[in-house]
Amino acid sequence: MTPIIEARGLIKRFGRVEALNGLDLVAEPGQVVALLGPNGAGKTTFVRSLATLVSPDAGTLRVAGIDAVREPDRIRRVIGLAGQYAAVEGAMTGRENLEMVARLFGLDRRRAKESAASVLERLALTDVGDRLVRTYSGGTRRRLDLGASLVGAPRLLLLDEPTTGLDPRSRVELWDAIRTLVSGGTDVLLTTQYLDEADRLADRIVIIDHGRVIANGTPGELKSQVGRDLVEIHVRDQAAIDPVRRSLDLLGHGTVHTDPAALLVTVDVDNGPERLMQSVQALVDLGVDVDDIALRRPTLDEVFLNLTGAAAEPVIERSAR
């Protein structure tokens, strides 16, 4: 099966800055691939290379088997691109926006109308399709923008931080729309700074740093790389933190961490369920009151921190890098 994305030894320099430094990435069809990395890691440069907006200095890059350097026009016919901000015209209806983009893709008037109607239905926008876009909410505008990238029936959809600035409900609605697209056969490459978004949407996660891939796997595989599970204990007051820490130290499960501001004590453990029960018994013997005790796996935030040495950058409104 031909990979939907195949990058080998990709290099891109901007002056003295090496944005991509021998990047290797292969993505198979039928997946949502999330691309993560610290600020300046090369995420946007890679997406722009896929979109033929910049040309690599070295290496090979193919989309659906097509060489992105030698045949950029063919690449543009098989990709769609949606960025951080909705690029739709507020003085037109949603349907008119989609029909206009479809005509720009080269569809005749009849096919443009059919494609626009199909996209409106797929993204649950039919009810608002004949309203002016300036009356849409931010989340609805973003779904329409997503639709505009689909009227040309792309094989690969590039989403560069598509939920930036959306409220939680609008984010969930857009996630549902993305899942619908994938179930209909559209492959997705997603860049995001919301690690929970990558965790919920992605079949595979690729983490890059300094222009190279440093980790690649399913969310579960990457979490397992961090190591052991965690027992988390929320105490009721700071006076209980040290006694709880000493009690857990005596169990010898693993390193105990404390966060006095959050009234939190954590310990990494093997054989999580058994260690959780032992921790509960230790707290009963100690006689301290706790608000909560739980066993959990490492989060993607912890994976990210462990692999890159830095937390994911805060999500703020900003222009594309």
Side-chain angles (χ1 to χ4, degrees):
M1 186 178 296
T2 302
I4 189 65
I5 299 172
E6 185 177 9
R8 304 287 186 185
L10 214 60
I11 292 174
K12 180 62 185 177
R13 301 181 183 90
F14 297 98
R16 296 182 179 178
V17 177
E18 198 159 51
L20 300 176
N21 181 23
L23 184 142
D24 294 311
L25 191 159
V26 177
E28 301 299 334
Q31 296 182 331
V32 175
V33 177
L35 190 64
L36 308 180
N39 187 22
K43 302 184 301 295
T44 297
T45 299
F46 182 60
V47 171
R48 288 171 62 84
S49 298
L50 287 169
T52 71
L53 298 175
V54 299
S55 182
D57 297 318
T60 60
L61 179 61
R62 293 184 174 86
V63 177
I66 304 168
D67 191 305
V69 176
R70 296 180 180 177
E71 301 181 275
D73 289 342
R74 287 187 64 197
I75 292 291
R76 293 171 195 141
R77 297 189 188 103
V78 299
I79 64 169
L81 174 64
Q84 298 176 30
Y85 307 102
V88 289
E89 174 52 59
M92 299 168 64
T93 67
R95 191 182 305 275
E96 288 168 343
N97 267 276
L98 296 183
E99 290 177 0
M100 176 185 68
V101 174
R103 294 300 302 275
L104 292 174
F105 267 104
L107 276 64
D108 61 33
R109 189 177 301 277
R110 179 184 62 80
R111 291 172 61 209
K113 287 181 177 294
E114 291 174 351
S115 180
S118 174
V119 168
L120 288 172
E121 183 176 358
R122 288 176 68 187
L123 297 183
L125 290 169
T126 303
D127 290 346
V128 299
D130 295 312
R131 280 173 36 193
L132 293 179
V133 171
R134 64 171 174 244
T135 68
Y136 287 9
S137 67
T140 303
R141 287 172 66 96
R142 193 65 60 83
R143 282 160 59 203
L144 181 66
D145 187 52
L146 186 62
S149 67
L150 294 173
V151 289
R155 292 276 310 278
L156 174 65
L157 179 60
L158 306 173
L159 300 180
D160 191 13
E161 302 187 23
T163 61
T164 296
L166 293 184
D167 61 76
R169 179 176 179 179
S170 295
R171 287 178 66 207
V172 171
E173 289 176 349
L174 195 63
W175 293 349
D176 289 341
I178 293 170
R179 292 188 185 100
T180 299
L181 299 178
V182 175
S183 66
T186 301
D187 297 313
V188 174
L189 178 75
L190 167 77
T191 73
T192 180
Q193 295 299 339
Y194 296 106
L195 298 190
D196 64 322
E197 183 166 86
D199 203 357
R200 294 193 186 193
L201 282 178
D203 300 293
R204 297 196 70 80
I205 293 175
V206 178
I207 300 178
I208 68 173
D209 197 12
H210 297 97
R212 299 178 66 89
V213 172
I214 61 172
N216 183 350
T218 67
E221 289 170 346
L222 293 183
K223 290 173 185 177
S224 68
Q225 290 184 22
V226 173
R228 306 193 287 176
D229 292 336
L230 296 171
V231 172
E232 284 190 338
I233 301 166
H234 288 268
V235 299
R236 291 189 178 177
D237 57 68
Q238 289 192 355
I241 289 178
D242 281 342
V244 170
R245 177 183 57 77
R246 289 193 296 269
S247 179
L248 294 179
D249 269 334
L250 291 174
L251 292 177
H253 296 332
T255 304
V256 180
H257 305 274
T258 62
D259 184 349
L263 300 178
L264 178 65
V265 182
T266 62
V267 57
D268 52 309
V269 299
D270 290 320
N271 194 8
E274 179 181 342
R275 301 309 187 194
L276 176 63
M277 296 302 296
Q278 293 174 354
S279 299
V280 170
Q281 186 59 53
L283 295 175
V284 171
D285 295 341
L286 187 63
V288 299
D289 292 327
V290 300
D291 282 334
D292 184 55
I293 180 169
L295 175 71
R296 67 170 177 83
R297 299 195 68 191
T299 65
L300 273 183
D301 295 81
E302 289 159 339
V303 172
F304 193 95
L305 178 62
N306 183 67
L307 293 172
T308 68
E313 63 181 293
V315 178
I316 56 176
E317 295 291 340
R318 59 192 184 280
S319 59
R321 292 182 294 278

